[in-house]
C-alpha cells in the first residue's frame, strides 16, 4: 500500500502497478510484459486492462495451461492483489479485464488533492530539462497571425512541461541574421546619415521600412551592391554596422514585446546570430565523422530516404538555415544539456527538421530511437484561414498584424460586457482585466482547441460566442462555480480540512471520475504534443459539472459540504487547465 501514495493523482499509473503484479503472477516465464491500461468508454467499468489477447499470442504453443485469451483475462483478474482503489472487476469478450473504481477511494483522492494542491496530480516524466523553441519571428517584420499559432502552442507545451517539474528553456529563435540586414542597414544609413536621428519614431513602422528598403534593393543596382557589401562588413564585425544592426533588432524587439505582453508569454531570445560563432566548429565535427560530402560546390549531408541532400555550406561559402539549426541543436544538447528539444513551426518546415534530426542521429547526438532521450521533436501546425478559405489577410491583401487581432478580440469582449451593464457594476480596472482575460483567452482557445496539424477558419463571432466549446463559455462556467461557493457563505478552506467528500449520486461519481482523469490527460497531451487534448478535457469537464449541478442540489442540501468540495475541486482543475493553456480565469461575470 505504501506505493499507492506515490502518485495517486494518476489513476492509470496506479492501476498499472497493481496489474503489473497480477501479470507477473499469471505468466511467470514471460518477461517484458507491460500492463496495457486504458480508460473505458463502455458501461462495463471505469478502466480496462487489455493484455490478455497479446499475452495469449505470445504463450500459445508453449505448453501453456490456458486455452485462449478469455482464461488469460480470468487469471489476470484472479491474481490481482487486494487494492483499496478497486471496487470490482469483470472479464468481457476476449479477456478484457474491466475495473470499477471504489467511490470511497476516488472521493478520498480528490479531497487529498484539495488539501495538498493540484501539483500532486502533475505527471511524472522521465525528462529533467527541455528546450521549447517557439514564436521565432523575423527582425524588421511584423508578427502576423501565423506567429500566433507558434507562440501559443509553444507556450502551452512549455507550461505543461513546467507543471510536470521539467526545467524548460523557452527559446525565441528570432531571424536576426542574414542577407536582408545588408539592405536594412544601408537604407538606415541613407535615410539617417546621423545615426542618433534613427530612433523608433523616426523609422516608424518597421514593416514599411523593410518594404521600402526591399524596393530600393530590387530597383537600384548601386544600392544593391552597397547592401551586399554591408552584409560582409556586418559579419566581419565592423562597429558602425554592428550598431545599426543592434538598433534595428531593438526596435523590432519592442514591437514583439507588445504581443508577448498581451499574451502573457515569457521567452528568452537566442536568435540566429547567437549560434553563428558555433557553426564552423559544428561543421568541422560533422566533417571529422565523415558525414559531410561535396556536391556541386556545396558541402552537404546525404539523408537516407530523401532525394535532396541537406546543404550545410552553400557553394559561395555562406551558411544557411541548416547550418544555424545544426549549431543550435548542438549547443542545446552540449552546452544547455537539454534532453528534449521541441521546435514549434508551421508544417511546411517538417522535411527540413526531419533532415536536421536525421543528420544529428547519424552524428550520434540524438538517440536513434525516438522513445528514448536525448530526442528532438518537430511540432507542426496548419494555417489560419479567412472566411474565404484562403490564408487570413486584410482587405489590402496584407497579413493580419497580431497586435491588431488581439486588440480587436479584447475590444469586442469589452463591448459585450458594457452591453450587459458591467461598466455600472465594476471598476474600470475590473472591466479592463475581464475584457483582456476573455478576449485574449478566446483567441488562444479558438486556436488551441483544434488539432494543431489542421488549418482552421478564423472567426471573431465564433471565437467570442458564449455557447459551445469556446473560452468564453468555459470562463463563464468557472465564474458560475465560484459564485455558487461564494453564495453558500461557507469558508471553503475550512471545509477542505473539516468536511468530507462523498460520491454517492451517479452524477457526482461521473464528475469525480472525470476529475481523476486529469493527470493522464496532461501526460497524453505532452506525449503527443497536442494541446487540443487539454481543451477537449476541459470542455467535457464543464459538461459533467452542468449535469451534476442540474441533478444535485448544492446549497441548502443535506450533502452541501461534500458538494461544495466537489465544486471547488472542479474549479481547481479548471483553473489549472486554463493556466496550462495560457488563459487567465475570471471569478465573476
Amino acid at each position: 500500500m505504501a506505493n499507492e501514495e506515490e502518485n495517486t493523482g494518476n489513476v492509470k499509473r496506479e492501476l498499472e502497478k497493481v496489474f503489473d503484479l497480477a501479470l507477473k503472477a499469471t505468466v511467470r516465464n514471460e518477461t517484458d510484459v507491460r500492463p496495457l491500461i486504458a480508460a473505458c468508454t463502455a458501461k462495463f467499468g471505469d478502466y480496462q486492462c487489455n493484455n490478455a489477447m497479446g499475452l495469449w499470442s505470445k504463450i500459445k504453443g508453449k505448453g501453456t495451461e490456458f486455452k485462449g485469451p478469455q482464461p488469460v483475462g480470468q487469471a489476470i483478474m484472479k491474481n490481482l492483489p487486494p487494492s483499496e482503489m478497486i471496487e470490482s472487476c469483470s472479464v468481457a469478450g476476449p479477456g478484457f479485464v474491466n475495473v470499477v473504481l471504489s467511490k470511497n477511494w476516488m472521493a478520498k483522492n480528490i479531497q487529498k488533492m484539495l488539501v495538498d494542491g493540484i501539483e500532486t496530480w502533475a505527471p511524472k516524466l522521465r525528462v529533467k530539462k527541455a528546450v521549447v523553441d517557439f514564436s521565432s519571428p523575423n527582425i524588421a517584420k511584423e508578427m502576423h497571425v501565423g506567429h500566433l499559432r507558434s507562440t501559443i502552442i509553444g507556450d502551452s507545451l512549455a507550461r505543461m512541461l513546467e507543471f510536470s517539474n521539467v526545467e524548460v528553456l523557452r527559446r525565441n529563435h528570432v531571424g536576426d541574421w542574414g542577407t536582408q540586414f545588408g539592405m536594412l542597414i544601408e537604407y538606415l544609413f541613407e535615410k539617417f546619415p546621423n545615426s542618433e536621428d534613427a530612433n523608433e519614431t523616426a523609422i516608424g513602422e518597421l514593416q514599411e521600412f523593410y518594404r521600402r528598403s526591399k524596393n530600393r534593393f530590387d530597383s537600384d543596382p548601386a544600392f544593391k551592391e552597397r547592401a551586399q557589401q554591408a552584409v560582409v562588413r556586418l559579419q566581419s564585425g565592423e562597429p558602425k554596422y554592428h550598431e545599426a544592426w543592434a538598433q534595428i533588432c531593438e526596435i523590432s524587439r519592442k514591437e514583439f514585446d507588445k504581443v508577448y505582453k498581451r499574451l502573457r508569454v515569457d521567452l528568452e531570445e537566442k536568435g540566429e546570430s547567437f549560434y553563428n560563432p558555433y557553426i564552423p566548429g559544428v561543421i568541422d565535427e560533422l566533417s571529422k565523422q565523415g558525414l559531410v560530402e561535396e556536391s556541386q560546390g556545396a558541402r552537404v549531408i546525404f539523408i537516407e530516404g530523401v532525394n535532396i541532400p541537406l546543404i550545410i555550406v552553400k557553394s559561395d561559402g555562406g551558411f544557411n538555415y541548416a547550418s544555424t539549426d545544426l549549431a543550435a541543436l548542438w549547443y542545446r544538447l552540449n552546452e544547455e544539456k537539454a534532453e528534449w528539444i521541441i521546435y514549434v513551426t508551421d508544417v511546411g518546415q517538417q522535411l527540413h527538421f526531419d533532415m536536421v534530426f536525421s543528420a544529428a542521429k547519424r552524428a550520434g547526438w540524438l538517440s536513434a530511437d525516438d522513445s528514448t532521450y536525448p530526442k528532438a521533436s518537430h511540432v507542426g501546425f496548419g494555417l489560419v484561414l479567412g472566411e474565404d478559405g484562403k490564408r487570413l489577410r486584410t482587405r489590402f491583401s496584407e497579413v493580419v498584424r497580431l497586435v491588431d487581432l488581439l486588440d480587436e478580440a479584447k475590444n469586442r469582449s469589452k463591448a459585450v460586457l458594457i452591453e450587459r451593464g458591467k461598466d455600472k457594476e465594476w471598476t474600470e480596472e475590473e472591466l479592463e482585466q475581464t475584457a483582456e482575460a476573455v478576449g485574449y483567452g478566446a483567441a488562444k482557445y479558438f486556436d488551441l482547441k483544434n488539432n494543431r496539424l489542421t488549418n482552421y477558419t478564423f472567426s471573431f463571432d465564433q471565437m467570442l460566442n458564449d455557447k459551445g466549446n469556446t473560452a468564453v463559455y468555459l470562463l463563464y462556467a468557472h465564474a458560475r462555480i465560484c459564485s455558487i461557493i461564494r453564495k453558500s457563505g461557507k469558508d471553503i478552506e475550512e471545509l477542505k480540512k473539516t468536511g468530507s467528500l462523498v460520491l454517492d449520486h451517479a452524477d457526482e461519481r461521473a464528475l469525480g471520475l472525470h476529475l481523476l482523469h486529469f493527470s493522464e490527460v496532461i501526460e497524453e497531451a505532452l506525449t503527443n504534443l497536442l494541446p487540443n487534448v487539454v481543451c477537449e478535457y476541459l470542455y467535457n469537464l464543464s459538461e459533467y459539472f452542468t449535469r451534476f449541478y442540474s441533478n444535485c442540489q448544492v446549497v441548502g442540501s443535506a450533502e452541501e459540504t461534500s458538494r461544495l468540495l466537489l465544486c471547488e475541486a472542479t474549479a481547481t482543475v479548471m483553473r489549472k487547465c486554463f493556466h496550462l493553456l495560457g488563459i487567465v480565469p475570471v471569478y465573476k461575470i
Side-chain angles (χ1 to χ4, degrees), residues 121 163 514-522 537 573 576-577:
W121 280 9
F163 175 59
H514 193 72
L515 288 169
L516 287 167
H517 285 161
F518 170 77
S519 182
E520 63 211 51
V521 165
I522 305 308
Y537 171 83
V573 171
K576 184 49 71 178
C577 289

Side-chain angles (χ1 to χ4, degrees), residues 42 46 52 88 96 188 207 209 292 305 307 309 346 353 385 430 480 484 568:
D46 303 319
S88 64
F96 299 123
L188 187 77
Q207 187 84 7
F209 186 82
V292 182
N307 294 332
D346 65 90
F353 281 107
L385 306 175
E430 284 176 322
R480 278 194 292 276
I484 293 161
E568 178 65 12

Side-chain angles (χ1 to χ4, degrees), residues 323-338:
S323 339
T324 308
D325 284 332
L326 281 166
L329 184 55
W330 178 90
Y331 182 88
R332 288 160 177 178
L333 290 164
N334 293 283
E335 296 294 324
E336 295 181 320
K337 308 292 184 197

Side-chain angles (χ1 to χ4, degrees), residues 450-473:
N450 299 284
N451 183 311
R452 57 177 169 75
L453 292 167
T454 60
N455 299 338
Y456 76 91
T457 302
F458 188 89
S459 161
F460 278 117
D461 291 340
Q462 287 180 39
M463 187 172 91
L464 293 163
N465 196 333
D466 61 2
K467 292 176 183 65
N469 189 8
T470 66
V472 185
Y473 169 75

Side-chain angles (χ1 to χ4, degrees), residues 563-576:
R563 288 176 178 172
L564 282 171
L565 288 171
L566 196 51
C567 287
E568 178 65 12
T570 304
T572 301
V573 171
M574 285 187 90
R575 280 194 287 276
K576 184 49 71 178

Side-chain angles (χ1 to χ4, degrees), residues 183-200:
M183 67 181 194
L184 288 165
I185 289 168
E186 204 49 49
Y187 192 67
L188 187 77
F189 289 160
E190 196 174 88
K191 286 284 161 201
F192 304 101
N194 180 357
S195 63
E196 285 169 20
D197 296 337
N199 55 40
E200 223 172 320

